[in-house]
Amino acid sequence: MHGELAASWPLKGVTIVATDKKLLLIDGNSVAFRAFFAMHDALDSMTNHDGLHTNALYAFRNMLKNILEKVDPTNVLVAFDAGKTTFRTKKFAEYKGTRARMPGELAEQLPYMHKMLDAMGIKWYELKDYEADDIIGTMAKEGAAAGMAVTVLTGDRDLTQLASDRVTVQVTVKGGGQLEAYTPASFQADLGITPKQFIDMKALMGDNSDNYPGVNKVGKVTARKLVQQYGSVEGIYEHIDAMKPSKMKENLLNDKEQAFLSKDLATIRTDAPITVGLKDTDYSGPDTAALRAVYEELDFNSFLKDLAPDEADAVVQKDLPVTPLTSAVLTKALAGKAPKAVMIEMLGDNYHTEPVIAVGVGTPDQWYVATSDEILRDKLFQSWLANDAQVKYVFDAKRNYVAAHRFGATINGIDFDMLLVSYLLNTVDNSNDLGAVAAQHGYHGVEPDATVYGTGKKRQIPEGHDVFVQHIAHKMAAVYNLKDQLIKDLQDHAQLDLYTDLERPLAIVLANMEIAGIKCDPDTLRKIGASLKDRLRDLENQIYTEAGHEFNINSTKQLGTVLFDEMKLPPVKKTKTGYSTSVDVLEKLQDQSPIIQEILNYRQLAKIQSTYVDGLLTTIHPDGKIHTRYIQTLTQTGRLSSQDPNLQNIPMHQDEGKQIRKAFVPSHDGWELFDADYSQVELRVLAHVSGDKNMQEAFKENRDIHANTAMKIFHLSDPSQVTDNMRRQAKATNFGIVYGISDYGLSQNIGISRTQAKEFIDAYFEQYPQVKTWTEQIVKTAREQGYVETIMHRRRYLPDINAKNRNLRQFAERTAMNTPIQGSAADIIKVAMINMAQALQQQKLQATMLLQVHDELIFEAPKEEIPILAKLVPSIMDSAVKLAVPLKVDSSSGATWYDVK
DNA sequence: GCCCTCACG
DNA sequence: ACGTACGTGAGGGCC
């Protein structure tokens, strides 16, 4: 009685039947595929100590765990395909003929999957000449006949034909994270057919992926209609004579043989000659010792923890040997020539000001940790830090270098910077958290800082002293232990030179620029602020008068209400949350009301006031300087970014904002600022990488590239025919190419029609044909290898390059074109910076490099050194790398940053 | 913490 | 039919 009632109750997609036996059948190959692609982004970061990829194993194990918990089976079998040839390929040679071979990175994981299943006490099976589907079909039938509740787990919808009262088919969707249950009822609801009729539908439709044909011109909709009407393929042909003449009838008659063949191929066998029986599938849980060995082999430390939490904790989180780091133990702690990990710990991001809460040094044999900053003033420690011959491993060289400098110490001999190396290996998700970065590389067991210290207002030094010093020790151990693996990965990527010759020395150059800082005169800022305050008050009043009442102009919501509801101006564009009030929208409304111009002026001045007057004033240090932080491990292209404050976006284009630059001055009397910037560096890189002869010629002959492009796209014969407007449009087109052009984007940017934009682009590619070839080639390369590279082998992965979602895919395509250009330009100026720092030192100049703004370097120097810089800086910058076209550098000097440009 | 807007190359 | 230039950081509003 109870059983019958329960039978009609689907619970978690599993039908409960009278017997308490539950059989779980898993389509090993298809779930492995899903697992592999679900964690494809992590492919390169997930390898074990032998370099074996483990992403599919990791995800497969998680999927397995989920389904085991969900079904709680008494019997389990995982079926695998035995090989490429099966009875189906004997019947139809082309069957699955178009399938790409299994990626090598997945194939290498399959033997370990088998090993893991063995250790889990789960039977797995493959059968020559049959697919996993047929093994599952046959076992499902046996299980159902024995009264068991059968669940099939697969990533392939073809298996849904097995659904019945006793068999539920769970299909992994959304990268394997979720399941979709197929039952006879769900079939009826979705398609109006039975699971068995799904075979007939597939027979008529054909299957591109399995590469069998079906009937010409019959797709999903027609196939479903035919099956609903006639019941089966056989039913259709029994009644075909009665059908009215039509193209479809003709196709059905022509392809009759194919339809029956396809049905045969699509039908999963339930009578395969399998040599396993239900009794072989008894499941009673894993052999813990064997499973531990497998997880250890795969470096699955988090799974080890799950396996036996207490025991595994002892393995992963076991106490490391730590001694307090004091002057008394220094001789011992720093003895020997062996490399040592070093760590200067601060809670917050801004290492220019954050208190140092701990200092650590050591090797896995013995760690030394101090929980104050005192040791940084110790002369012996300082001389060890400064000793280039003492090899050091760190996480974030620049951070440690700058912090040490505050105590009068200099760190030399940094060999391994785990953060920097990790960023070069994969630019994505490089958090500042050591534990997270270590985990990315398969090294688990370092707690995230947020766990140990807390976040936000609650962030603090842990109360337990041991917890604190152990955390520091575990972090140093991770750095130490990951060194060999990460350096090997760099070598495998051909990125070792990028690291040792470029990024690693650059970290020190940047540290010294940050430490130098740039002097900023608060009085200049305050004067600008006072004048802005008056003008803003006037504008506010005018705007309130126009609007008829006061409101918060800074609130886009309130502004939208005023403009579009109250004043009835036509809304041009919407955002996710309401009306858009951005500059391009307001400019379109400009002639409709004087309020628009007032708002534009207000916005412009308010931005200068809040971000550049008030904002900058709060960032001036007691030494009268601004010390930004260049973030070296953030951008996806290899550029730097600048924070606290951002000195890479100080106003330039409009005179009002540009006044801010007058506050940036030299730090000594009798000194000046000196500025040098690359001219058209990105387009020169494009001319180089594309090999385009026309573009290269323009640069070799030092022509105005935008005018040159204008002549080409407007088909002019003489430079004098180029009008300002033509040059402007040509310039935008040049930029568009660098950004990975679209006709829509270009049309929006320069306010022309989409058709016209398309004409520009076509003309452009006609005139620079090798640029066109290059854009096509780089996208193809990205598709094939999954990443693109700069001239210095900086790498950016583009997981979306093969996405089904068009937006994602096209975005990845534009990125594939832009990153080699923007990134190579970043490489070039980085080389120049290193050479520049070296030259200043060698020539014993007082001149100091202060800022980098992507294609521009800013120095300060005694006036008498300015003529030297005027020769030296451009020559070093334009010879940083040798391209197929010359690099050009413009420079100037002046009393303030305003005056140098 | 997210959204919008706007500053730079 | 649909959303679109590439790469960043910061301030203010609002929930």
Side-chain angles (χ1 to χ4, degrees), chain A residues 682-696:
Chain A
E682 293 195 345
L683 286 173
R684 285 168 200 265
V685 167
L686 175 60
H688 171 79
V689 296
S690 70
D692 190 275
K693 292 289 168 259
N694 284 345
M695 193 177 278
Q696 290 190 355

Side-chain angles (χ1 to χ4, degrees), chain A residues 550-589:
Chain A
E550 294 194 3
F551 66 101
N552 188 342
I553 309 167
N554 290 321
S555 161
T556 50
K557 199 176 162 197
Q558 293 182 38
L559 181 61
T561 309
V562 168
L563 296 181
F564 305 115
D565 293 337
E566 296 172 16
M567 299 181 66
K568 306 279 183 224
L569 295 172
V572 180
K573 200 168 76 180
K574 284 203 151 185
T575 65
K576 270 183 267 184
T577 50
Y579 302 115
S580 171
T581 65
S582 60
V583 174
D584 53 320
V585 169
L586 294 185
E587 277 173 353
K588 290 196 174 84
L589 301 170

Side-chain angles (χ1 to χ4, degrees), chain A residues 358-373:
Chain A
V359 180
V361 66
T363 64
D365 292 337
Q366 183 62 53
W367 300 109
Y368 297 87
V369 177
T371 53
S372 82
D373 58 23

Side-chain angles (χ1 to χ4, degrees), chain A residues 311-450:
Chain A
E311 221 177 309
D313 264 353
V315 175
V316 179
Q317 282 292 338
K318 73 166 182 246
D319 274 3
L320 299 174
V322 184
T323 307
L325 176 61
T326 61
S327 298
V329 302
L330 267 184
T331 316
K332 188 166 173 250
L334 305 176
K337 287 276 172 187
K340 293 181 180 63
V342 185
M343 179 162 291
I344 300 176
E345 185 80 334
M346 292 159 277
L347 285 180
D349 289 333
N350 197 336
Y351 46 72
H352 290 296
T353 51
E354 279 289 319
V356 168
I357 58 168
V359 180
V361 66
T363 64
D365 292 337
Q366 183 62 53
W367 300 109
Y368 297 87
V369 177
T371 53
S372 82
D373 58 23
E374 220 177 312
I375 198 75
L376 288 170
R377 293 193 179 85
D378 184 292
K379 291 297 164 214
L380 182 59
F381 193 50
Q382 289 194 353
S383 79
W384 180 83
L385 286 174
N387 186 347
D388 203 38
Q390 294 286 357
V391 177
K392 292 147 192 112
Y393 298 167
V394 300
F395 182 87
D396 196 344
K398 181 155 65 66
R399 182 180 174 90
N400 284 279
Y401 185 98
V402 173
H405 188 271
R406 286 159 49 194
F407 297 84
T410 304
I411 308 182
N412 292 314
I414 294 176
D415 179 75
F416 176 60
D417 179 344
M418 179 171 138
L419 176 63
L420 198 47
V421 170
S422 176
Y423 166 73
L424 295 178
L425 290 171
N426 192 337
T427 54
V428 181
D429 287 337
N430 267 279
S431 73
N432 294 316
D433 188 81
L434 192 153
V437 174
Q440 258 191 58
H441 297 283
Y443 186 100
H444 299 271
V446 182
E447 301 266 26
D449 285 337

Side-chain angles (χ1 to χ4, degrees), chain A residues 31-32 35 52 54-65 68 78 80 109-124 283 285-300 303-304 307:
Chain A
V31 173
L52 171 82
T54 55
N55 65 323
L57 289 159
Y58 186 92
F60 186 85
R61 182 270 183 192
N62 281 341
M63 291 179 183
L64 209 57
K65 180 167 178 277
L68 285 171
V78 182
F80 287 95
Q109 300 184 55
L110 286 186
Y112 292 88
M113 217 165 269
H114 297 159
K115 232 170 151 175
M116 187 159 74
L117 289 168
D118 285 338
M120 286 174 159
I122 293 175
K123 179 81 184 170
W124 62 272
Y283 173 68
D287 172 347
T288 313
L291 192 53
R292 180 173 301 123
V294 173
Y295 286 165
E296 273 168 3
E297 184 171 11
L298 298 174
D299 293 339
F300 284 167
F303 294 163
L304 279 171
L307 207 54

